[in-house]
Amino acid sequence: MRRRRGRVADVEEGESYYVSMRDMVVGVIFILLIMLSYFAFEFRSSTAKLTSAKHPETAALLQTAADLQPKTAEIEIDYKAKVVCLPETALSTTGEGAAGERRCFAFSPPTKASAQAASATDAQKLLMQSLDADLRDANVPITGDPTNGALNFRADQLFAPGTATLSPEGQKIAADVAQTLMRRLPCLGYGAPASADCEDGGAKLAMANVVSQTNLDAFTEEGRRAADLALQRAAVFHQALTAAQPGLAALRNAPAGQPGSQPLLRVASVGQSQEGASRVGDDQMVSIQFQMGS
């Protein structure tokens, strides 16, 4: 009996050793996973800051500049040669450097055109983010990624099969989309009362195109009917939007009477001819494409 107890004790001690080792290895792996997650987050955050910055070179330098200090110095600028010079003593924390010596650097001055372009890009990005959030809150089925500048809807969710007649679900989608557009577009157009939250002098839309896209065989009768159906569906969806929110029909890309003034909400269709295209009305997409003004 004593021998058996001794062997049992040896076995228990061996198992305890392996259990301890296993727990230690699991703990080390868990810590490594936490560290990898942290470094991945930091890398993604830094990459996002650099890629989304208006001036990536400046953003990259600011990533390493941890102790920027304000300093008063007289600088000299040659705007024609795009050169800026500052005293050498300003580059030292103790004021060291030869008196009268300068350090000069080339620079690229900001331009009004680039500021406008950035403003338009930011405005469209904000618009698409707002529309996406509003429509998802309303449970409107959107297809694809709105960040590409378009809201996409499957035609079979909007229309009765093979027709340009909105289904009950399509009518509800059109009403929800129209309500969202009327909340967001007046700030970006002319002709309809805008809210007090609109930014003065902000970027404006050039157009919001209701587009129906389809694949078709342009050399067959069925393909030509598919093209006609696509245009009809774009027009019907446009009419449903403006019927639900009449203010959308009043919106324009420039003040009325000004040269080039057009309705903001317009209609188009796009058909790509290809062999073996699906039947009339199949695989069609209805989109609202947004284009900011220059």
Side-chain angles (χ1 to χ4, degrees):
M1 292 296 292
R2 291 181 179 176
R3 289 182 179 179
R4 289 182 179 178
R5 288 177 181 174
R7 292 182 64 185
V8 170
D10 291 342
V11 170
E12 288 179 351
E13 288 179 3
E15 289 181 351
S16 176
Y17 171 76
Y18 286 113
V19 168
S20 299
M21 286 293 294
R22 183 182 62 191
D23 290 345
M24 183 181 71
V25 171
V26 170
V28 170
I29 292 175
F30 182 70
I31 293 173
L32 287 175
L33 288 174
I34 293 176
M35 293 176 64
L36 287 173
S37 299
Y38 172 76
F39 289 128
F41 174 79
E42 287 294 315
F43 175 78
R44 184 168 56 184
S45 177
S46 299
T47 302
K49 289 179 181 178
L50 293 175
T51 56
S52 62
K54 293 182 180 179
H55 302 288
E57 300 87 351
T58 300
L61 290 172
L62 290 175
Q63 292 289 316
T64 61
D67 188 27
L68 288 173
Q69 301 176 9
K71 199 159 189 176
T72 302
E74 291 187 2
I75 64 173
E76 300 171 277
I77 302 177
D78 186 332
Y79 291 102
K80 185 177 293 187
K82 300 180 179 61
V83 173
V84 58
C85 299
L86 62 157
E88 194 174 65
T89 53
L91 300 177
S92 170
T93 56
T94 59
E96 295 177 353
E101 291 295 323
R102 298 173 295 177
R103 293 283 187 90
C104 298
F105 309 89
F107 70 94
S108 298
T111 62
K112 186 176 182 180
S114 64
Q116 289 176 341
S119 177
T121 301
D122 293 342
Q124 177 156 350
K125 182 178 179 180
L126 179 61
L127 170 65
M128 299 313 300
Q129 289 175 343
S130 301
L131 292 174
D132 183 31
D134 291 347
L135 293 176
R136 292 190 187 281
D137 288 343
N139 294 319
V140 175
I142 305 173
T143 301
D145 185 2
T147 59
N148 62 8
L151 299 174
N152 302 312
F153 310 93
R154 282 171 36 202
D156 59 5
Q157 291 182 315
L158 299 175
F159 299 96
T163 74
T165 302
L166 283 171
S167 64
E169 181 186 6
Q171 293 173 4
K172 182 181 184 306
I173 290 174
D176 290 338
V177 172
Q179 184 177 9
T180 297
L181 294 178
M182 198 60 208
R183 185 184 303 125
R184 301 294 178 181
L185 296 193
C187 287
L188 302 171
Y190 302 87
S195 68
D197 298 332
C198 296
E199 180 183 352
D200 293 334
K204 300 292 184 181
L205 277 168
M207 72 174 66
N209 235 1
V210 180
V211 181
S212 185
Q213 306 170 54
T214 185
N215 291 327
L216 54 91
D217 188 342
F219 302 100
T220 65
E221 182 63 28
E222 192 174 50
R224 288 187 284 273
R225 289 203 307 271
D228 292 340
L229 179 61
L231 183 57
Q232 291 174 27
R233 284 178 165 178
V236 167
F237 192 61
H238 178 283
Q239 291 169 344
L241 294 175
T242 54
Q245 294 289 335
L248 291 174
L251 285 170
R252 304 185 72 83
N253 63 351
Q258 183 174 312
S261 177
Q262 291 287 333
L264 195 61
L265 203 61
R266 304 187 219 175
V267 174
S269 69
V270 178
Q272 176 61 55
S273 179
Q274 62 183 36
E275 291 182 357
S278 56
R279 293 177 300 172
V280 174
D282 288 355
D283 302 326
Q284 288 191 355
M285 188 80 67
V286 177
S287 306
I288 307 176
Q289 299 176 353
F290 300 90
Q291 180 180 334
M292 299 303 297
S294 56

